Amino acid sequence: MSSTATRFVRRTPEGEDRERLTCADCGYIAYENPKIVTGSVVIVGGKVMLCRRAIEPRRGFWTIPAGYMELNETVEEAAMREAREEACADLALDGILAVYSIARIGQVQVLFRARLASPGFAPGPESLEVRLFDWEEIPWDDLAFPSVHWVLKAWREIGDGPIGAPRGNPAEDHRGTGGLAEGA
């Protein structure tokens, strides 16, 4: 093993169509790919479950139970794990409600419609509180991310009906590059 540090540079390797982080010595390409976020719009008695974030980013703002997918788990397993971590809730997933591309931060979000598989929920370590909201009570100005607005509106469109094809980014923000004001 060499005592010298590997030097990575940005260049367009042969056969590639864009700059990549490449080892200057051996040509190894370190691909930088989007992160996958998964979560759920959890419906309990016609109300939506929201978690008030106890962590950054957007600490103190409301969101659905969601987070980064881990290696060796499916998107379904990740959504159910996130609900256990954030809301101490066991879920039954109804299906994929939406898939969003958030280009500005390199995320793909796969979001489900879900219900409780067993009664009860409570704040987990990443949540300050967990509450159920009627549609009219949702704290729209205090939602953490544009995609939370989008997926809640997608749920409202279909309610408890058949999910059909997953919803995508809204036409006005098809690449997920807008911020809270533009994407809400």
Side-chain angles (χ1 to χ4, degrees):
M1 184 166 200
S2 170
S3 62
T4 60
T6 303
R7 291 182 310 119
F8 281 91
V9 295
R10 288 213 172 269
R11 65 178 184 85
T12 305
E14 185 177 330
E16 296 284 334
D17 64 349
R18 64 189 71 201
E19 283 190 349
R20 307 279 188 190
L21 197 56
T22 308
C23 176
D25 298 322
C26 71
Y28 171 83
I29 301 170
Y31 290 97
E32 299 167 294
N33 302 104
K35 295 266 190 184
I36 299 172
V37 170
T38 184
S40 303
V41 175
V42 182
I43 307 304
V44 181
K47 296 182 179 191
V48 177
M49 175 188 290
L50 294 177
C51 305
R52 189 185 295 265
R53 293 177 59 81
I55 59 172
E56 294 295 346
R58 309 288 288 162
R59 185 181 197 285
F61 286 81
W62 293 95
T63 189
I64 62 171
Y68 291 112
M69 187 174 166
E70 299 287 348
L71 292 176
N72 299 313
E73 66 183 356
T74 66
V75 289
E76 294 87 356
E77 291 166 343
M80 291 187 290
R81 175 185 49 77
E82 287 293 338
R84 283 189 303 274
E85 289 176 0
E86 296 181 9
C88 300
D90 290 318
L91 299 187
L93 303 177
D94 293 335
I96 297 174
L97 180 58
V99 176
Y100 298 128
S101 297
I102 316 295
R104 70 184 165 81
I105 54 176
Q107 287 183 0
V108 174
Q109 298 184 3
V110 180
L111 304 172
F112 294 85
R113 182 180 72 191
R115 55 199 148 75
L116 292 177
S118 58
F121 58 89
E126 297 180 2
S127 298
L128 297 170
E129 73 181 290
V130 179
R131 286 189 40 207
L132 300 177
F133 291 90
D134 281 318
W135 181 257
E136 299 77 24
E137 299 173 325
I138 293 173
W140 294 102
D141 291 339
D142 292 327
L143 294 179
F145 310 108
S147 59
V148 177
H149 288 256
W150 303 344
V151 77
L152 290 175
K153 290 175 183 175
W155 167 73
R156 179 69 171 186
E157 288 176 12
I158 66 161
D160 292 333
I163 293 178
R167 304 323 189 257
N169 290 40
E172 66 273 8
D173 195 5
H174 70 278
R175 295 191 72 248
T177 55
L180 284 171
E182 298 88 346

